[in-house]
Amino acid sequence: MKNLVGYITSSIPDNNFTIDLALSMKEAGVDTLELGVPFSDPVADGPVIEKANHIALESGFGLNDLFEVSSQIGSNMDMLWMGYMNPFFHYGLENFLKKAQEYNVEGMIIPDLPFEESQLVNSLFDKYNKANISFVAPTHSEDRIKKVVENSKKFIYMVAYAGITGSGKAEDLTNIISMVKKYSNTPLYIGFGVDEKTCKEKSVGVDGVIVGSAFVKHLIDDSLSNNEKIAKISSIAKEIKEKINE
């Protein structure tokens, strides 16, 4: 059974909605929630998720909102925090890890934390038994892939193409998948450009998919009511889960 990781930006339009949406996504087949920590310069994300980040910040998002949401979700479904290093650094990475432990958050996805620098903080992740998700990309050499994946935990995030989320590009990933599998037994999930149309093709050879923009575009669609947003996103999650496991 292939897994589905679903990204949503926290606290849009409010904390209670995020909680309701997350639990509905779980019922629809999302195995792991990737809860986005809003940040002003989400460099790895495309315009959809970038807009969501700005909406949350303009609405007054603070880290206490993230913690409130997480306190209600973490005991009900598998969850990771996804964000950029600046908020983690300013709050204190160890303080974040303590909160993660308190709220049953499994770990973090930090796309602007280079692999070499992550080695300086992995002892903190180990201290609290939390995953610092590893990234691999089509541009990586075999030597680098070996270094990145050999001590990976929970899952490995394979970037489907060089670029930003939601772009919908396509690259031949056969070789990189083979190299990752050669050096690690950690599940390999593919992200970037995965939606209900591309998920089946992109899931070939990997253990799961990571979906963000395909959900968030409906999250920030002002033409939909809150109930319609939940229904739409959950319907897409169910469709993707079914397609990747056909």
Side-chain angles (χ1 to χ4, degrees):
M1 179 70 73
K2 295 184 179 183
N3 282 3
L4 169 58
V5 178
Y7 169 94
I8 55 174
T9 308
S10 182
S11 307
I12 298 176
D14 56 46
N15 295 346
N16 288 334
F17 177 83
T18 301
I19 295 165
D20 291 342
L21 174 58
L23 297 180
S24 179
M25 292 170 71
K26 178 188 177 184
E27 291 298 317
V30 170
D31 299 285
T32 299
L33 180 71
E34 185 182 339
L35 185 61
V37 183
F39 180 56
S40 58
D41 188 21
V43 293
D45 290 304
V48 171
I49 294 178
E50 182 179 16
K51 182 177 179 179
N53 275 255
H54 291 162
I55 289 171
L57 293 171
E58 288 168 2
S59 299
F61 171 86
L63 291 180
N64 285 336
D65 295 303
L66 176 76
F67 300 146
E68 179 182 332
V69 169
S70 300
S71 71
Q72 299 300 310
I73 299 175
S75 59
N76 290 290
M77 70 183 300
D78 190 70
M79 180 170 61
L80 296 163
W81 283 330
M82 182 277 178
Y84 293 84
M85 193 59 199
N86 187 285
F88 294 122
F89 176 79
H90 281 284
Y91 186 77
L93 183 57
E94 184 161 14
N95 291 330
F96 253 105
L97 288 164
K98 289 176 180 177
K99 289 290 187 181
Q101 189 172 55
E102 181 179 353
Y103 301 133
N104 298 309
V105 178
E106 294 292 312
M108 301 178 194
I109 299 173
I110 311 176
D112 63 342
L113 179 62
F115 170 73
E116 287 76 13
E117 293 183 21
S118 72
Q119 302 310 292
L120 303 176
V121 298
N122 274 342
S123 60
L124 276 179
F125 282 88
D126 292 340
K127 178 180 177 180
Y128 293 95
N129 194 29
K130 301 302 175 187
N132 181 19
I133 300 299
S134 302
F135 285 84
V136 293
T139 53
H140 286 172
S141 67
E142 183 168 353
D143 285 345
R144 184 166 183 81
I145 288 172
K146 181 178 185 295
K147 290 178 183 177
V148 169
V149 307
E150 59 186 358
N151 294 312
S152 55
K153 295 181 179 179
K154 193 167 179 67
F155 65 81
I156 298 161
Y157 193 133
M158 182 170 67
V159 176
Y161 48 77
I164 55 176
T165 60
S167 299
K169 297 179 183 178
E171 295 190 27
D172 184 358
L173 301 171
T174 305
N175 287 338
I176 186 173
I177 291 172
S178 296
M179 284 188 282
V180 171
K181 298 289 188 179
K182 178 179 178 181
Y183 295 112
S184 177
N185 293 320
T186 303
L188 177 63
Y189 297 171
I190 185 169
F192 283 42
V194 181
D195 59 22
E196 63 270 35
K197 297 177 181 178
T198 65
C199 61
K200 186 173 182 178
E201 179 183 0
K202 285 182 179 289
S203 69
V204 174
V206 299
D207 305 297
V209 299
I210 303 165
V211 180
S213 297
F215 295 146
V216 175
K217 69 180 181 181
H218 300 294
L219 177 61
I220 61 174
D221 184 349
D222 290 336
S223 72
L224 300 176
S225 69
N226 285 352
N227 287 339
E228 288 171 334
K229 290 177 181 181
I230 290 175
K232 183 68 174 178
I233 292 170
S234 298
S235 174
I236 294 170
K238 182 178 180 181
E239 181 180 353
I240 291 173
K241 180 71 171 182
E242 290 173 350
K243 283 184 174 179
I244 64 176
N245 285 293
E246 286 178 347

